[in-house]
Each structure stands twice: as structure tokens, then as C-alpha cells.
Amino acid sequence: GAVVSQHPSRVICKSGTSVKIECRSLDFQATTMFWYRQFPKQSLMLMATSNEGSKATYEQGVEKDKFLINHASLTLSTLTVTSAHPEDSSFYICSANPAGGLTYEQYFGPGTRLTVT
Amino acid sequence: SQQGEEDPQALSIQEGENATMNCSYKTSINNLQWYRQNSGRGLVHLILIRSNEREKHSGRLRVTLDTSKKSSSLLITASRAADTASYFCGASGSRLTFGEGTQLTVNP
């Protein structure tokens, strides 16, 4: 149980275009989902926390107009990278906190590799 | 910074040897978790130790926690080539904060 999927696993896009990444909890409902960014050989940096039905909370330094997060249902959150630039190329990982679960309980997706050319 | 520190950053050992990784964190925590990440993959949860625990075992894994020093260690005994991965600690307080990670290479 507690499986989180991400789609796509890899995406290549041209500079200036937008890319949407989906994060789904497959066998549980998630009131809270988290989006992380990871550069090569570095740790995960929390970008934002999204709660179902409300606006996402962004970490300091993360542009909310550039990284649009929508958590429209208890099993789906999306991250849209708008007007992507090469410096947005990174590994994006989501995690989900089960509804009624402990606050520290997070299940991670397999990640999405974004390359902006 | 939301990041803690881990050392060593990279560790290379022979199969059968033990691997020890250390993690320090900065905030008060409820628990600390260790994760494994294979290259280009998501995180796999390995073990959780609560703030009132000092040591925990799970199979070949042994975790210690010293809240007075805000540090934790992960010991992998009798390592295997399949243990090759990056290992991260996640300090869980008001949020989950990850250390920098240790890249472990186990040579056959």
C-alpha cells in the first residue's frame, strides 16, 4: 500500500513552454502533498506544500507564479512549470501525507526528470 | 537553511564491510527518518526513530539518535553491492528537512 505515482517520469521541453507534472496517491487519500526539487548530487529542497482544496504554501525563494500547484482532489496534485528555462531543469519529486495519518508520514513518488532545452 | 549535514558525502567500501553514515540537524524534532535513493529514483523509507528513542534496529540497519547533539547515525552491516545508493536523513519537526546525503558505493 501507500503508493505514489508521478507522470511523466521524464520530460524534455523547449525554453518558454510550460510543463505539467502530476502526482497521484494510488491507494490512499492525501490531504497534503509536498513538492521537492533536487539538483544532481544534492539533497531535496522543499518547494511547496499543497493542501486539498486550498492554495499551496510556497517556501521562501520559490516563485509561486512560476511553479503553479493545484491540489484539486484527495488523490491528485499537479505542478506546472510555466515559461520554463534551462535553469528549471531538475528532478522534481512529490510526496503525499495520508488523510488522518501522522504529520511526518510521507510517501514519495518516483520523481520526474525535467530537461529544458 | 533548511538543510542539515551528513557525512561523509561519499563512502566507498567493499562488499561485506559495514557502512556508517552520520547526519546532523538543526531544529527540534519529533522523529528522524532515513531514506534511500537509487540514482534517478524517488526516496524509499528505511527506518524511523522517535525523539525519545536512542537506538533502533531493522534487519541489517542500525540507527542511533542523540538529541542532545542533534545527530543520528545509520549503520548498514554486511553491505552488499545492491546497497549502492544515496542515503538521506529526514529530520521531522514542524516539517521534514533533509540532510545533504551520503553517496554509498559498495564494490563487489
Side-chain angles (χ1 to χ4, degrees), chain B residues 31-51:
Chain B
N31 61 71
L32 187 136
Q33 305 176 61
W34 283 90
Y35 295 84
R36 167 195 169 122
Q37 183 182 37
N38 285 74
S39 180
R41 303 285 187 149
L43 270 66
V44 175
H45 184 265
L46 295 176
I47 192 168
L48 177 151
I49 185 166
R50 301 184 193 284
S51 60

Side-chain angles (χ1 to χ4, degrees), chain B residues 58-70:
Chain B
S58 177
R60 293 186 296 113
L61 305 179
R62 173 178 170 256
V63 170
T64 64
L65 179 64
D66 187 334
T67 52
S68 66
K69 295 180 180 178
K70 288 187 165 57

Side-chain angles (χ1 to χ4, degrees), chain A residues 1-4 23 28 94-98 105-109, chain B residues 35 43 45:
Chain A
V3 177
V4 176
C23 176
F28 65 97
C94 72
S95 69
N97 178 232
E105 195 177 356
Q106 292 186 34
Y107 298 97
F108 288 82
Chain B
Y35 295 84
L43 270 66
H45 184 265

Side-chain angles (χ1 to χ4, degrees), chain A:
Chain A
V3 177
V4 176
S5 70
Q6 281 184 242
H7 178 80
S9 58
R10 291 178 176 271
V11 57
I12 300 173
C13 70
K14 295 194 175 193
S15 192
T17 61
S18 295
V19 174
K20 180 184 283 188
I21 302 170
E22 293 184 349
C23 176
R24 292 182 185 273
S25 55
L26 297 185
D27 49 4
F28 65 97
Q29 293 185 327
T31 46
T32 305
M33 288 185 172
F34 304 87
W35 285 95
Y36 295 86
R37 183 173 181 174
Q38 185 180 33
F39 290 107
K41 299 189 185 301
Q42 294 189 25
S43 188
L44 281 72
M45 295 286 293
L46 179 65
M47 298 174 66
T49 302
S50 81
N51 292 294
E52 186 264 339
S54 63
K55 289 184 178 180
T57 302
Y58 290 82
E59 294 299 301
Q60 191 173 7
V62 177
E63 299 174 60
K64 61 181 179 182
D65 294 331
K66 181 169 186 61
F67 298 100
L68 301 179
I69 291 172
N70 186 302
H71 193 160
S73 78
L74 285 172
T75 59
L76 173 64
S77 176
T78 60
L79 167 68
T80 301
V81 183
T82 62
S83 186
H85 288 101
E87 56 266 31
D88 298 324
S89 298
S90 189
F91 193 56
Y92 293 88
I93 302 177
C94 72
S95 69
N97 178 232
L102 300 168
T103 54
Y104 56 79
E105 195 177 356
Q106 292 186 34
Y107 298 97
F108 288 82
T112 296
R113 173 76 58 194
L114 170 64
T115 303
V116 184
T117 60

